[in-house]
């Protein structure tokens, strides 16, 4: 996908804002003030060597063009000061002049290389951001009779995707959801994340039973991990915990298969409760299904109008406070049972950050699905 100029400029604006143009007045005032002051000072007091400060300040805040301009003006100012005092051809002033000119030239080269490197990093960042957003697409706000909301936090700074994942897909008569957690965290786990999401999106829209969908994703993950077996000695220890849901449009139920993942919470708007949806016979994590004769069986739970299901990864429940206490998700979320999906997730995130003292150090994903009633038209 081609990265647009607008995206690059947007990233540059967010990551490295340009200084206000008035800041350039400071070095220009120095260029004027220093030789002016030199003209009124005693012969044994010489300030012209401070002109280097003007060029250095410009190089820190601006690019090569502005640095070259201020550098040239600084050299002219030093020549002017030397001429006014009749010392231009003295050895001391000539050394100062050559040093200042050389330093200004080096600063211009430095700012040119710095800006070129910055543009390369911005382009790479824009491509990376676009690629990550393609892998972890935003959830649609509506899917049939359901309202959806998602929240994601990566353990690595400046990334939008890591070892956690979620996705939604529509069939003719139901909505399918997946949330998962790749062993590991951050950028190193993106390849496994992409395999799971790619397999889910390729098959979830088809009218196949939920167990067949999970088996298809398991095969894809197993095949994908085997591709790395020769280059990654730890590939045998890689797996993905996941939960897949199938929510029919015309039935007040949810079908679920858990592959070693934390149980979702069923939130009753009227009752103000948070009930964990435990399955009797959870399947092995994705990628480990080949180790046993796994038969996937969906568990069915009631899911009425107004109810919501909160799906999450262990980055949420394993977040600790300063005393080492895990975040009590079920207890906290039960008190927020009257909120819609989007506000509910925002309140959980704010409470989670407060619990952790503002620092969440693991990948974290959450998704809320709410049954609103009759399917949306179209």
């Amino acid at each position: 996908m081609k990265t647009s100029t607008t995206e690059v400029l947007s990233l540059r604006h967010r990551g490295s804002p340009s200084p206000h143009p008035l800041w350039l007045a400071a070095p220009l005032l120095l260029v004027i003030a220093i030789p002016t002051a030199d003209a009124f000072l005693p012969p044994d007091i010489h300030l012209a060597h401070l002109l280097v400060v003007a060029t250095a300040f410009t190089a820190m805040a601006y690019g090569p063009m502005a640095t070259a301009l201020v550098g040239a003006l600084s050299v002219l100012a030093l020549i002017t000061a030397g001429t006014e005092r009749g010392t231009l051809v003295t050895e001391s002033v000539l050394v100062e002049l050559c040093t200042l000119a050389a330093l200004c030239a080096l600063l211009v080269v430095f700012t040119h290389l710095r800006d070129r490197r910055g543009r390369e990093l911005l382009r790479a960042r824009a491509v990376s951001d676009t690629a990550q957003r393609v892998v972890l697409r935003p959830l649609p706000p509506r899917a049939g009779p359901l309202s959806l909301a998602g929240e994601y936090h990566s353990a690595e700074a400046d990334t939008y995707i890591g070892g956690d994942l979620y996705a939604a897909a529509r069939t003719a008569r139901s909505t399918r959801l997946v949330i998962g957690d790749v062993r590991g965290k951050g950028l190193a786990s993106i390849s496994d994340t992409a395999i799971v999401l790619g397999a889910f999106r390729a098959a979830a829209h088809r009218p196949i039973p939920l167990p067949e969908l999970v088996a298809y994703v398991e095969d894809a993950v197993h095949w994908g991990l085997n591709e790395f077996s020769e280059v990654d000695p730890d590939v045998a220890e890689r797996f993905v915990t996941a939960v897949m849901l199938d929510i029919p449009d015309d039935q007040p139920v949810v079908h679920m298969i858990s592959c070693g993942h934390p149980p979702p919470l069923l939130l009753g708007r009227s009752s103000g409760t948070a009930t964990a949806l435990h399955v009797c016979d959870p399947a092995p994590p994705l990628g480990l299904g080949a180790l046993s004769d796994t038969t996937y069986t969906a568990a069915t739970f009631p899911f009425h109008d107004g109810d919501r299901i909160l799906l999450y990864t262990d980055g949420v429940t394993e977040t600790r406070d300063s005393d080492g206490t895990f975040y009590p998700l079920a207890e906290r979320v039960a008190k927020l049972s009257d909120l819609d999906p989007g506000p509910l997730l925002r309140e959980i995130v704010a409470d989670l950050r407060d619990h952790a003292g503002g620092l969440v150090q693991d990948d974290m994903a959450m998704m809320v699905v709410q049954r609103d009633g009759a399917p949306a038209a179209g």
Side-chain angles (χ1 to χ4, degrees), residues 317-336:
T317 52
E318 293 182 1
T319 296
R320 301 172 184 261
D321 63 9
S322 58
D323 297 326
T325 304
F326 289 118
Y327 180 69
L329 177 62
E331 174 187 334
R332 300 291 179 86
V333 78
K335 301 176 182 178
L336 306 173

Side-chain angles (χ1 to χ4, degrees), residues 38-373:
D38 245 9
F40 298 96
L41 293 174
D44 58 333
I45 299 177
H46 187 46
L47 299 180
H49 59 279
L50 296 178
L51 287 167
V52 69
V53 175
T55 308
F57 178 87
T58 307
M60 288 190 299
Y62 293 91
M65 294 295 292
T67 303
L69 172 62
V70 174
L73 292 176
S74 297
V75 171
L76 289 175
L78 181 57
I79 293 174
T80 301
T83 301
E84 289 176 348
R85 301 180 64 142
T87 58
L88 180 60
V89 295
T90 62
E91 182 178 352
S92 176
V93 173
L94 289 176
V95 169
E96 285 185 9
L97 185 61
C98 292
T99 302
L100 179 61
L103 181 59
C104 290
L106 288 174
L107 288 173
V108 170
V109 173
F110 164 76
T111 54
H112 171 72
L113 295 176
R114 181 196 63 195
D115 284 9
R116 185 176 70 179
R117 178 61 174 168
R119 288 191 296 270
E120 292 174 353
L121 290 175
L122 286 171
R123 285 194 294 269
R125 171 74 183 278
V127 171
S128 174
D129 289 351
T130 302
Q132 292 181 60
R133 293 181 189 278
V134 168
V135 174
L136 189 68
R137 303 171 191 169
L139 292 174
R142 295 282 302 176
L146 308 176
S147 295
L148 304 176
E151 185 69 32
Y152 194 93
H153 169 82
S154 176
E156 297 192 16
D158 299 324
T159 62
Y160 297 106
I161 184 173
D164 289 357
L165 58 98
Y166 57 66
R170 282 286 297 167
T171 69
R173 297 182 179 84
S174 70
T175 300
R176 288 173 170 173
L177 307 172
V178 62
I179 191 166
D181 186 356
V182 176
R183 181 183 179 273
K185 62 183 180 179
L187 289 173
S189 57
I190 290 181
S191 62
D192 296 345
T193 300
I195 291 172
V196 175
L197 291 176
F200 176 81
R201 291 175 181 138
H205 66 281
R206 299 175 183 173
I208 59 176
L210 184 61
E212 291 186 22
L213 172 61
V214 178
Y216 177 87
V217 177
E218 160 62 33
D219 289 343
V221 173
H222 182 71
W223 173 82
L225 294 180
N226 283 340
E227 277 198 316
F228 296 98
S229 60
E230 295 183 359
V231 296
D232 185 355
D234 297 327
V235 70
E237 300 178 6
R238 288 162 59 179
F239 56 83
V240 183
T241 66
V243 168
M244 294 194 202
L245 307 181
D246 188 16
I247 305 175
D249 292 346
D250 55 358
Q251 300 176 47
V253 297
V254 55
H255 307 297
M256 183 178 81
I257 295 178
S258 175
C259 299
H261 197 78
L265 297 176
L266 176 64
L267 311 179
R269 183 184 291 271
S270 58
S271 61
T273 58
T275 305
L277 301 181
H278 290 284
V279 298
C280 297
D281 188 19
L286 299 174
L288 301 181
L291 300 180
S292 63
D293 296 329
T294 302
T295 301
Y296 297 105
T297 303
T300 301
F301 302 92
F303 187 44
H304 300 284
D305 292 352
D307 288 347
R308 281 151 301 148
I309 295 176
L310 171 64
L311 301 102
Y312 57 94
T313 58
D314 61 11
V316 178
T317 52
E318 293 182 1
T319 296
R320 301 172 184 261
D321 63 9
S322 58
D323 297 326
T325 304
F326 289 118
Y327 180 69
L329 177 62
E331 174 187 334
R332 300 291 179 86
V333 78
K335 301 176 182 178
L336 306 173
S337 60
D338 59 335
L339 297 179
D340 289 331
L344 173 62
L345 285 184
R346 288 192 289 271
E347 286 294 329
I348 295 174
V349 170
D351 189 48
L352 187 69
R353 294 187 185 280
D354 183 66
H355 178 83
L359 183 62
V360 179
Q361 298 181 334
D362 196 3
D363 293 329
M364 177 189 75
M366 290 184 288
M367 181 166 49
V368 173
V369 52
Q370 173 178 296
R371 185 182 288 277
D372 295 325

Side-chain angles (χ1 to χ4, degrees), residues 2-56:
K2 186 175 181 180
T3 303
S4 67
T5 303
T6 303
E7 289 176 312
V8 175
L9 292 177
S10 175
L11 284 169
R12 183 175 184 179
H13 175 73
R14 295 198 309 265
S16 181
S18 299
H20 195 279
L22 289 178
W23 285 24
L24 191 58
L28 292 177
L29 285 175
L30 283 175
V31 169
I32 296 172
I34 289 174
T36 302
D38 245 9
F40 298 96
L41 293 174
D44 58 333
I45 299 177
H46 187 46
L47 299 180
H49 59 279
L50 296 178
L51 287 167
V52 69
V53 175
T55 308

